[in-house]
Amino acid sequence: MFPSNYLDRRKFLQQTGQGLGMLGLAAMMGEQALRDTAHASTSPMAPKMPHFPAKAKHVIHIFCNGGPSHVDTFDPKPKLLEYAGKELPNNLPTERKTGAAFPSPFKFKKYGESGIEVSELFAHTAESIDDICVIRGMHADVPNHEPSLLLLNCGDARLPRPSMGSWVSYGLGTENQNLPGFIAMCPNGYPITESANWRSAFLPGIYQGTYIDTQHTAIEKLIENIRNNKQTSEQQREQLDLVQSLNRKHLEGRDADPVLEARIQSLELAYRMQMDASDAFDINHEPKHIREMYGEGIHARQLLIARRLVERGVRFVQLWHGAGQPWDHHDDIEVGHRNLSNELDKPLGALLKDLKQRGMLEDTLVMWGGEFGRTPTVELPTPGSNAGKVNGRDHNHWGYTTWLAGGGVKGGTVHGATDEFGFQAVENKVHVHDLQATVLKLLGLDHERLTYRFAGRDFRLTDVHGKPVDAIIA
């Protein structure tokens, strides 16, 4: 154990000759390295240069946890009507027993100049279809919620790994130092696998997502302890300076302990958030016509907040539909999917239009989808699995749909396809790792270069897999 006054090489250069050695080092390292060093000495969340010019600067990820049915939303399959009540010729293994073909109870319609067909469930969203790239050839690894959620969000279905938002924050920092770089909003509690979905794992703790329960409207309930009613801002600053000086002294002798460093940075962020967060989360500051455009309800509120956050420089915002897995309709899919789309469709359509009218859609990547899709066949009654009705769909990882909008993607396009029944991706298949690599590329990050050394090896979001889908990039 080194004594607390031990000098490593960098400290030696900084403190010897009044820092002249450090200036010489900076000259050798170049201007960018000097900027990076300066940022690192102030905040690990300071903006960083991407690997190459980025098309997107921010991400809004709308996550329909539970697995929305692609054949009922963005991937019409008229062949199912022809086979209604009959066994399909290409049934695939499913998690639960399924039976005959189950036609969609929802009508599809062509929208926009592109003429892409979208279900009545997302009629408002479809009004912006010419800005959307529909990826119909998605596929994952297994038909189970927990591993599929972790695969999509963290790149690994089994082991603790940093989330996508954490990787993006690590790679790019964030533009507003008074707000978190990565915010996860989920009303009424946690989704399946809970905070693991926005964890930072072995990345420094400052890159972990900040969870907000958007069932609340009062800022004091949205963000606990956002206001200090006992001290002025100046008194808080004095107190924090004292605490931080002690923390820094404590840190010096502990080889830059990442847990302690995260605590130091979190205290600073909490202090700075008091003004900016109160403003960003208060949608009453929006004009009446904007609030009316988004509509009423939790999802209208959190989508409008998402726009206000990226407008203020937050890098990655993830919006969950609710606690657990609300889109998981093994029974009553017609009723369940309609109810959920009624909550989401209008504000989601408003978000796309609002971003575009503000010129923000160009550099804001909007992503919609779930952890997998659902079977084109009806799920059969299974004790302990469903309510015994024959009007729902099982999980389907073989083929499903995700869509991207803005942020440098080719709008008004469809990439990939499932078979004629919607069971399996068969054309221009896109694995979850490919999607992750594509998102990173749109943000100016090479998924193979965005690494972090831990436990003797370099890790990345896509592990040893993934290839960006260049065909969907404008």
Side-chain angles (χ1 to χ4, degrees):
M1 181 72 180
F2 292 119
S4 61
N5 60 351
Y6 172 77
L7 289 178
D8 61 22
R9 286 173 293 177
R10 178 159 291 182
K11 288 180 182 176
F12 176 80
L13 287 170
Q14 287 174 320
Q15 297 178 21
T16 302
Q18 296 181 343
L20 291 176
M22 193 65 181
L23 291 176
L25 176 64
M28 290 187 291
M29 293 171 69
E31 266 187 50
Q32 182 57 49
L34 178 60
R35 286 197 296 272
D36 290 345
T37 301
H39 290 329
S41 67
T42 55
S43 169
M45 292 298 292
K48 302 179 183 72
M49 295 293 292
H51 297 142
F52 42 79
K55 293 181 179 292
K57 294 181 179 178
H58 313 279
V59 177
I60 298 177
H61 181 194
I62 296 98
F63 198 89
C64 291
N65 42 316
S69 170
H70 54 298
V71 298
D72 293 308
T73 54
F74 293 93
D75 191 7
K77 295 298 175 183
K79 197 78 171 176
L80 289 176
L81 188 60
E82 178 183 333
Y83 275 76
K86 302 176 184 176
E87 183 178 352
L88 295 182
N90 63 337
N91 269 1
L92 294 170
T94 55
E95 186 177 27
R96 297 170 176 83
K97 292 181 180 179
T98 65
F102 181 18
S104 176
F106 308 107
K107 296 179 180 179
F108 281 76
K109 176 183 172 182
K110 292 183 178 181
Y111 288 86
E113 294 182 5
S114 57
I116 296 173
E117 288 186 273
V118 179
S119 161
E120 62 184 279
L121 293 180
F122 285 95
H124 291 283
T125 304
E127 292 174 5
S128 297
I129 197 66
D130 289 335
D131 295 311
I132 293 174
C133 174
V134 183
I135 305 174
R136 288 179 177 164
M138 288 295 304
H139 64 106
D141 294 343
V142 294
N144 310 103
H145 292 289
E146 290 85 349
S148 295
L149 279 165
L150 293 178
L151 177 66
L152 179 62
N153 286 300
C154 305
D156 191 291
R158 293 164 294 278
L159 300 175
R161 292 286 187 269
S163 61
M164 192 185 327
S166 295
W167 278 111
V168 171
S169 298
Y170 163 67
L172 296 175
T174 190
E175 295 172 357
N176 189 334
Q177 299 301 294
N178 297 336
L179 289 170
F182 172 25
I183 293 176
M185 293 189 274
C186 181
N188 301 305
Y190 291 108
I192 296 298
T193 69
E194 301 183 347
S195 60
N197 293 289
W198 50 83
R199 63 156 62 100
S200 61
F202 49 71
L203 288 179
I206 191 64
Y207 301 117
Q208 180 164 299
T210 297
Y211 165 69
I212 304 291
D213 186 346
T214 44
Q215 68 174 306
H216 303 296
T217 56
I219 186 66
E220 293 85 358
K221 290 187 176 181
L222 272 172
I223 307 172
E224 292 186 20
N225 304 312
I226 190 63
R227 294 195 176 102
N228 188 326
N229 298 320
K230 297 181 180 179
Q231 291 181 315
T232 66
S233 179
E234 292 74 15
Q235 290 172 327
Q236 290 180 65
R237 183 71 258 178
E238 289 178 5
Q239 183 184 65
L240 182 59
D241 286 343
L242 173 60
V243 172
Q244 296 293 58
S245 67
L246 295 173
N247 283 335
R248 289 290 180 192
K249 188 173 182 64
H250 187 64
L251 182 65
E252 285 178 4
R254 283 159 179 79
D255 197 26
D257 178 12
V259 176
L260 182 53
E261 179 62 40
R263 186 185 308 163
I264 291 171
Q265 295 296 335
S266 295
L267 288 173
E268 286 292 342
L269 178 59
Y271 172 76
R272 297 194 303 269
M273 278 179 64
Q274 292 180 75
M275 291 301 296
D276 281 33
S278 297
D279 174 67
F281 284 88
D282 188 353
I283 65 170
N284 291 318
H285 292 170
E286 292 288 328
K288 182 180 179 181
H289 73 277
I290 293 294
R291 284 181 277 126
E292 289 178 344
M293 181 171 73
Y294 280 81
E296 300 291 332
I298 290 174
H299 297 285
R301 188 168 66 250
Q302 70 175 10
L303 281 161
L304 182 49
I305 289 172
R307 193 224 77 207
R308 290 175 62 81
L309 289 172
V310 298
E311 193 173 32
R312 286 158 175 76
V314 174
R315 187 70 70 183
F316 200 104
V317 181
Q318 189 174 51
L319 307 176
W320 296 74
H321 197 101
Q325 44 207 38
W327 286 85
D328 190 28
H329 291 134
H330 295 275
D331 296 295
D332 294 326
I333 195 166
E334 181 176 3
V335 174
H337 266 41
R338 191 179 296 280
N339 288 341
L340 295 186
S341 68
N342 284 341
E343 297 172 359
L344 181 62
D345 179 38
K346 180 179 178 179
L348 180 51
L351 173 70
L352 295 173
K353 293 176 182 177
D354 198 12
L355 289 171
K356 188 167 185 177
Q357 72 184 6
R358 293 168 189 271
M360 294 173 60
L361 192 58
E362 294 178 5
D363 62 8
T364 301
L365 178 65
V366 181
M367 178 164 60
W368 177 93
E371 63 267 38
F372 41 54
R374 309 202 77 84
T375 57
T377 48
V378 69
E379 182 172 331
L380 299 178
T382 305
S385 295
N386 52 40
K389 302 175 183 178
V390 190
N391 58 359
R393 303 185 189 277
D394 192 19
H395 310 155
N396 183 18
H397 68 289
W398 301 107
Y400 63 100
T401 294
T402 288
W403 60 253
L404 304 175
V409 304
K410 290 180 181 177
T413 59
V414 173
H415 183 82
T418 52
D419 60 57
E420 58 185 347
F421 303 107
F423 224 136
Q424 184 176 22
V426 294
E427 180 184 322
N428 291 326
K429 298 170 67 174
V430 177
H431 187 267
V432 171
H433 288 307
D434 302 324
L435 178 66
Q436 293 162 341
T438 305
V439 170
L440 293 181
K441 184 169 184 176
L442 289 166
L443 289 164
L445 295 170
D446 183 339
H447 75 109
E448 295 182 345
R449 291 169 58 191
L450 183 65
T451 62
Y452 188 85
R453 194 156 191 84
F454 175 73
R457 61 160 281 193
D458 289 336
F459 285 86
R460 69 189 202 209
L461 172 63
T462 53
D463 195 34
V464 295
H465 312 283
K467 186 177 180 180
V469 186
D470 291 326
I472 72 171
I473 298 176

